[in-house]
Amino acid sequence: MEAVLTEAVALLDEAGESALTFRALAARLGGGVGSIYWYVSSKDELLDRAADHVLADVLRAAEMLTGSDDPIDDLRAIAMTLFDAIADRPWLGAYFMRNTGVQPHGMKLYELIGEQTLRLDLTRRERFHAVSAVIGYVVGIAADMGQQPPQEVRDGEVSREDYLSRFVAQWRAMDADQYPFVHHIVDDFEVHDDADQFSAGLDLLLAGLRLQAGA
Amino acid sequence: MEAVLTEAVALLDEAGESALTFRALAARLGGGVGSIYWYVSSKDELLDRAADHVLADVLRAAEMLTGSDDPIDDLRAIAMTLFDAIADRPWLGAYFMRNTGVQPHGMKLYELIGEQTLRLDLTRRERFHAVSAVIGYVVGIAADMGQQPPQEVRDGEVSREDYLSRFVAQWRAMDADQYPFVHHIVDDFEVHDDADQFSAGLDLLLAGLRLQAGA
DNA sequence: ACCTGAACACCGTTCAAGT
DNA sequence: ACCTGAACACCGTTCAAGT
């Protein structure tokens, strides 16, 4: 079982979600295709378990970062850890924290985030909503980033920079009267850093939460 | 072309993403499998175009709701419209506003959201980040919601209520010492409404933005 | 209890051939 | 210019058979 998940994660890390195939996995494990079904009942479950396998480390890292005086700072640290994990492994995005019953570490992470809100002066419902918002935000930005770029970029025929700059050129070519905002931010877009972008949005969310908690 | 997209959307609406197959689509159109490739170069492009086809209506609805005195209120109205669209069509979540160059309406929606921030006292970079944050949040919550429930629920063998209550029972059965937060919010989770949840988190984000803009 | 691998029922995509 | 449908190279999943 352990080996199945380790090899599955390796396959995902090396070549992305499309590379994880029962046949490819069986080949790496030196066995037959069918044997994987002894450990896992479907590909969906395999992906859930692979994701949760990786979340064990993420959870450990997140736990290390909590315990400061300020629960909102802790919330920030946890969210950043999650972001880093998905930035490292884009395939995680899709199977991240699905509370399916086979994701114990995902559940523990949910709990850890929630516990920070227990330290804030909020109603139960506000706490529930705050946690949903933080997780939703992380997943959303991650999904946006993890969007697999077109084939040519994946194959290395076109570099990420060229891809981005082609994008930027396309934006610049748009009608300035119809797209004032696009033109307004295109320079910032050109040099933007995903982590900064994530961090800035997270700050808005947490500022709203701090206001609500009166902290 | 129009017919291809209309039927593709119909297929997606009726039975979800897995039902959209080149063979199924060709059958509905009364033609051969290969002919679809005349209009679209891959399945990914088909899904992009189907999503954008639907975004035309979303854009129109969103445009109707803007123009109030308060740009943040307008931002809120647009985000709510997006949320409703994805709630109606869970398959949209995954192909929502991918700025791929074949999604003109997605681009226009991005512009529309951005234009609201032009009315706020922010730096260019803050505007760029604010728009990313709002879209990221919408996509994230939508992805969470659009997560297809297990087979038994989809087949109607188990109702959504039973599924949710089984979930709740599982949460209640967890160790109260190890999962204080989960126990804290399980009652709220049991009766929660997705739209409320979305709305509450959006308010946090927008409160943070309002603070930043000093508005 | 755990594994094998052929077989089944699908996919997306290509392409020579048609109109 | 637009369409056809057989063919190809894959998939996930099942299952009788093995150890």
Side-chain angles (χ1 to χ4, degrees):
Chain A
M1 181 73 229
E2 182 62 24
V4 171
L5 294 184
T6 306
E7 288 308 319
V9 169
L11 228 28
L12 288 164
D13 283 344
E14 282 165 30
E17 194 162 340
S18 64
L20 181 58
T21 280
F22 276 85
R23 287 175 229 288
L25 184 54
R28 276 180 93 113
L29 292 163
V33 239
S35 67
I36 299 163
Y37 282 90
W38 182 258
Y39 300 98
V40 121
S41 72
S42 71
K43 185 165 187 190
D44 232 46
E45 191 188 320
L46 175 62
L47 278 157
D48 275 338
R49 296 201 119 100
D52 200 65
H53 190 250
V54 157
L55 285 189
D57 291 333
V58 179
L59 175 62
R60 208 170 311 128
E63 276 170 341
M64 300 264 293
L65 294 167
T66 59
S68 81
D69 285 345
D70 185 354
I72 290 190
D73 282 352
D74 283 359
L75 232 28
R76 186 169 212 294
I78 300 171
M80 276 298 176
T81 306
L82 298 188
F83 173 83
D84 288 340
I86 306 182
D88 270 4
R89 307 181 134 110
W91 58 267
L92 246 190
Y95 288 86
F96 188 59
M97 299 197 68
R98 316 209 298 167
N99 294 332
T100 53
V102 297
Q103 292 199 307
H105 298 112
M107 196 72 219
K108 252 292 171 198
L109 264 166
Y110 184 77
E111 170 68 26
L112 184 66
I113 294 170
E115 283 174 11
Q116 309 313 311
T117 68
L118 290 178
R119 300 158 64 197
L120 291 166
D121 186 23
L122 297 169
T123 67
R124 279 191 319 177
R125 173 171 286 248
E126 283 171 344
R127 290 193 184 106
F128 174 56
H129 286 158
V131 172
S132 303
V134 169
I135 293 178
Y137 175 72
V138 174
V139 169
I141 300 287
D144 222 46
M145 285 180 14
Q147 232 172 76
Q148 63 184 353
Q151 197 65 47
E152 25 179 28
V153 181
R154 260 174 294 156
D155 293 348
E157 291 167 25
V158 174
S159 75
R160 219 193 96 89
E161 283 73 34
D162 286 353
Y163 173 64
L164 212 142
S165 72
R166 197 199 295 172
F167 225 96
V168 166
Q170 200 180 303
W171 281 26
R172 289 217 170 91
M174 293 171 79
D175 185 333
D177 289 330
Q178 272 205 291
Y179 294 90
F181 176 72
V182 169
H183 279 86
H184 182 73
I185 51 85
V186 67
D187 291 345
D188 285 289
F189 177 75
E190 191 169 21
V191 299
H192 88 279
D193 175 73
D194 284 338
D196 280 352
Q197 195 173 327
F198 175 79
S199 179
L202 180 62
D203 281 341
L204 293 178
L205 190 59
L206 294 180
L209 183 60
R210 183 158 259 147
L211 205 65
Q212 188 174 58
Chain B
M1 180 73 226
E2 183 62 24
V4 171
L5 294 184
T6 306
E7 288 307 319
V9 169
L11 228 28
L12 287 163
D13 283 345
E14 283 165 29
E17 194 161 341
S18 65
L20 180 58
T21 281
F22 277 84
R23 285 165 177 69
L25 185 53
R28 276 180 91 114
L29 292 163
V33 240
S35 66
I36 299 164
Y37 281 91
W38 182 258
Y39 300 98
V40 120
S41 72
S42 71
K43 185 164 186 188
D44 232 46
E45 191 187 321
L46 175 62
L47 278 158
D48 275 339
R49 295 201 120 101
D52 200 64
H53 190 251
V54 157
L55 286 189
D57 291 332
V58 179
L59 175 62
R60 207 170 312 129
E63 276 171 340
M64 300 264 292
L65 293 167
T66 59
S68 82
D69 286 345
D70 184 353
I72 290 189
D73 280 352
D74 283 359
L75 232 27
R76 185 167 213 294
I78 299 170
M80 276 298 177
T81 307
L82 299 188
F83 173 83
D84 288 341
I86 306 182
D88 270 5
R89 307 183 133 112
W91 57 268
L92 247 190
Y95 288 85
F96 187 60
M97 300 197 65
R98 313 210 300 167
N99 294 333
T100 52
V102 296
Q103 292 200 307
H105 297 113
M107 196 73 219
K108 253 291 170 198
L109 265 166
Y110 184 77
E111 171 67 25
L112 184 66
I113 294 170
E115 283 174 11
Q116 308 314 312
T117 68
L118 290 177
R119 301 158 65 197
L120 290 167
D121 185 24
L122 296 170
T123 67
R124 280 192 318 179
R125 173 172 287 249
E126 283 171 344
R127 290 193 184 103
F128 174 55
H129 286 157
V131 172
S132 304
V134 169
I135 294 179
Y137 176 71
V138 174
V139 169
I141 300 289
D144 223 46
M145 285 181 15
Q147 234 172 74
Q148 65 184 352
Q151 196 65 45
E152 24 178 29
V153 180
R154 260 175 293 157
D155 293 350
E157 291 166 24
V158 174
S159 76
R160 221 194 95 89
E161 284 73 33
D162 287 352
Y163 173 64
L164 213 142
S165 71
R166 197 199 294 170
F167 224 96
V168 166
Q170 200 180 303
W171 282 25
R172 288 216 170 92
M174 294 171 79
D175 185 332
D177 290 330
Q178 272 206 291
Y179 294 91
F181 177 72
V182 169
H183 279 85
H184 182 74
I185 52 85
V186 66
D187 291 344
D188 286 288
F189 177 76
E190 190 169 20
V191 300
H192 88 279
D193 175 73
D194 284 338
D196 281 352
Q197 194 174 330
F198 174 80
S199 179
L202 181 62
D203 281 340
L204 293 179
L205 190 59
L206 293 179
L209 183 61
R210 182 159 259 145
L211 205 66
Q212 186 174 59

